[in-house]
Amino acid sequence: MNQVRLEINAQRMMQRLHALAAVGQTADGSCCRVALTDEDRAGRDLVVQWMTDLGLQVSVDPIGNIFGYRPGQREDLAPVMTGSHIDTVRTGGIYDGNYGVLAGLEIIECLNEASQQTQRGLVVAIFTNEEGVRFTPDMLGSLVYADGMALLQALALTDKQGVTLGAALEKIGYAGTAPLGVHRPHAFVELHIEQGPILDAEQRQIGVVEHLQGISWQEITIGGQANHAGTTPMALRHDAGYAAAAVMTFVRDLAREMGGHQVATVGQVKLTPNVANVIAAQAVLTVDLRNTNESLLNVARDRLAGFLAHLAQAEGVSIEISDKVRFAPVSFDVGLTDLVEQQAESLGYTNRRLNSGAGHDAQMLSRICPSAMIFVPSVAGISHNPAEHTEACDLAAGCQVLCQTLLVLSN
Ligand code: HGY
Ligand code: MN
Ligand code: MN
């Protein structure tokens, strides 16, 4: 079958990327649109406007996922879906998530310009709360969409202030009425920056993602005893701050000792009363453990649990562990990854297969349909940081590969 070729307009895509980047921009240049905040609403409103301008049928489901649908000739066939997220971490770059959504819109505009109708319809999706900054777990919108969590359970999740996700969704006006699971896709392909150093280091333009690692987020609450920092003998202290520091160094040492794909970090620590001359009464911290191998990830979790039990006993503190995220590793559809690789090859882009260290919505979509991911390089592997950068030529290459992949899948 002679394959239709469309030439994407990279400049137009970049214009949208920079226009969206300006929404929620902070003084240090970060893109800060934490899910279900006013900044997130403003970003959603902008992209929904672009979807409407492109003639897409826009629908919003009850968890706030947004779908822009372009009908195909065969309405009896399930559509092909692409997309990602536009919520960010607090120190977000401008590409993480946004790029995958706006590349999808660019492809829609190319099809409109060419008056091309595809056999299967096309959907560009924006999934709610991929980053999990205010509400956990992350990848929440796609998890609910893929039947991984009941809607009512998700709507009842609360943030640190006790606000429910449902109330926050209502407040920003994105508690949608479209049925959950609207546009059940024939296949899902997500375009995303690598957020790691491999493609940039090897000067490859395209990453064909084969596997995505398992993720474990735990919140650990350590109960110590507030006391005077000067008068309390060291042997009598129950110092939650010290215990938190011990956990931080333990997880680092554990990942180094286990090696392989094991990674670990403590990203959040909150001490109470957080006063210089008071021994911390409480520490609340998060531990993010990841591994491509499920059983090794469980080993890491078990080793941490053993350490915490010992620490509680040694320091005379109480320790509670609450699971916030527990996602198994995912292998993407072999046929789809082959197809992505073929497109990259036929377009003459250097490419390689690799795994994803980050979680993505495709991880959830792979529960309900064949899914795949396309990566483009992140300069120096930096992400979740305003210094996040991908060269325009690589962004264009990724969009072109996605375009050809979607054309094959939808015809
Ligand atoms: O945590 C992750 O890997 C993703 O950025 N939510
Ligand atoms: Mn992302
Ligand atoms: Mn991210």
Side-chain angles (χ1 to χ4, degrees), residues 84-85 87 95-98 130-131 190 192-193 195 358-361 373 383-384:
S84 190
H85 62 95
D87 65 299
Y95 306 100
D96 178 358
N98 305 312
E130 192 277 347
E131 295 292 4
E190 182 172 3
H192 204 286
I193 54 172
Q195 301 181 288
H360 295 288
D361 293 308
M373 290 196 76
S383 184
H384 285 186

Side-chain angles (χ1 to χ4, degrees), residues 6-336:
L6 286 177
E7 198 70 32
I8 61 111
N9 181 330
Q11 199 189 354
R12 182 168 59 194
M13 180 179 69
M14 296 305 291
Q15 280 163 357
R16 287 200 176 105
L17 253 174
H18 288 292
L20 182 54
V23 180
Q25 190 172 36
T26 56
D28 71 350
S30 292
C31 192
C32 179
R33 292 197 305 272
V34 170
L36 308 179
T37 61
D38 288 342
E39 294 75 18
D40 182 26
R41 178 190 44 73
R44 286 166 170 260
D45 290 350
L46 178 59
V47 181
V48 164
Q49 186 55 55
W50 285 333
M51 285 182 165
T52 310
D53 295 347
L54 288 172
L56 293 176
Q57 297 170 18
V58 180
S59 57
V60 182
D61 75 7
I63 197 70
N65 296 321
I66 301 168
F67 302 96
Y69 175 56
R70 185 177 195 267
Q73 280 161 350
R74 295 286 308 274
E75 282 301 278
D76 56 322
L77 297 178
V80 174
M81 185 181 282
T82 188
S84 190
H85 62 95
I86 61 170
D87 65 299
T88 72
V89 293
R90 292 193 200 290
T91 55
I94 70 169
Y95 306 100
D96 178 358
N98 305 312
Y99 168 52
V101 171
L102 299 182
L105 294 192
E106 172 52 30
I107 292 162
I108 296 293
E109 185 145 12
C110 289
L111 283 165
N112 290 351
E113 283 175 335
S115 309
Q116 274 276 329
Q117 211 191 3
T118 51
Q119 288 287 311
R120 292 177 180 273
L122 287 170
V123 183
V124 180
I126 301 172
F127 291 107
T128 297
N129 192 42
E130 192 277 347
E131 295 292 4
V133 171
R134 184 178 166 196
F135 297 94
T136 50
D138 57 349
M139 283 82 76
L140 181 68
S142 48
L143 178 67
V144 172
Y145 180 78
D147 306 322
M149 179 186 278
L151 174 63
L152 292 180
Q153 182 189 348
L155 295 175
L157 292 169
T158 56
D159 65 8
K160 295 273 186 247
Q161 284 68 44
V163 176
T164 65
L165 188 141
L169 210 47
E170 292 282 350
K171 185 162 178 286
I172 66 166
Y174 277 91
T177 52
L180 254 190
V182 65
H183 302 309
R184 254 324 179 229
H186 164 67
F188 178 75
V189 184
E190 182 172 3
L191 174 61
H192 204 286
I193 54 172
E194 179 199 340
Q195 301 181 288
I198 296 170
L199 294 176
D200 184 43
E202 295 184 6
Q203 290 296 294
R204 311 266 186 139
Q205 293 166 294
I206 299 294
V208 182
V209 188
E210 293 187 296
H211 310 288
L212 191 152
Q213 60 185 354
I215 303 175
S216 163
W217 282 5
Q218 292 168 301
E219 184 177 82
I220 295 171
T221 304
I222 301 172
Q225 184 187 47
N227 216 327
H228 196 294
T231 59
T232 311
M234 291 308 287
L236 298 182
R237 296 186 182 208
H238 304 290
D239 186 341
Y242 165 77
V247 175
M248 293 173 93
T249 52
F250 174 80
V251 295
R252 160 69 71 90
D253 296 344
L254 175 67
R256 286 207 160 136
E257 182 207 314
M258 289 180 70
H261 287 136
Q262 186 59 48
V263 292
T265 198
V266 170
Q268 273 178 311
V269 183
K270 182 171 177 286
L271 296 182
T272 305
N274 203 28
V275 170
N277 58 358
V278 179
I279 297 167
Q282 187 190 63
V284 180
L285 57 153
T286 58
V287 175
D288 181 321
L289 298 171
R290 306 195 195 197
N291 199 310
T292 49
N293 177 308
E294 177 76 352
S295 50
L296 287 176
L297 183 53
N298 286 330
V299 165
R301 283 165 55 94
D302 292 346
R303 292 278 303 274
L304 174 61
F307 173 76
L308 292 173
H310 165 75
L311 185 66
Q313 203 271 326
E315 294 300 321
V317 294
S318 64
I319 295 185
E320 280 167 40
I321 305 172
S322 148
D323 271 324
K324 296 294 181 187
V325 170
R326 189 70 190 86
F327 295 139
V330 154
S331 295
F332 289 120
D333 179 84
V334 172
L336 277 187

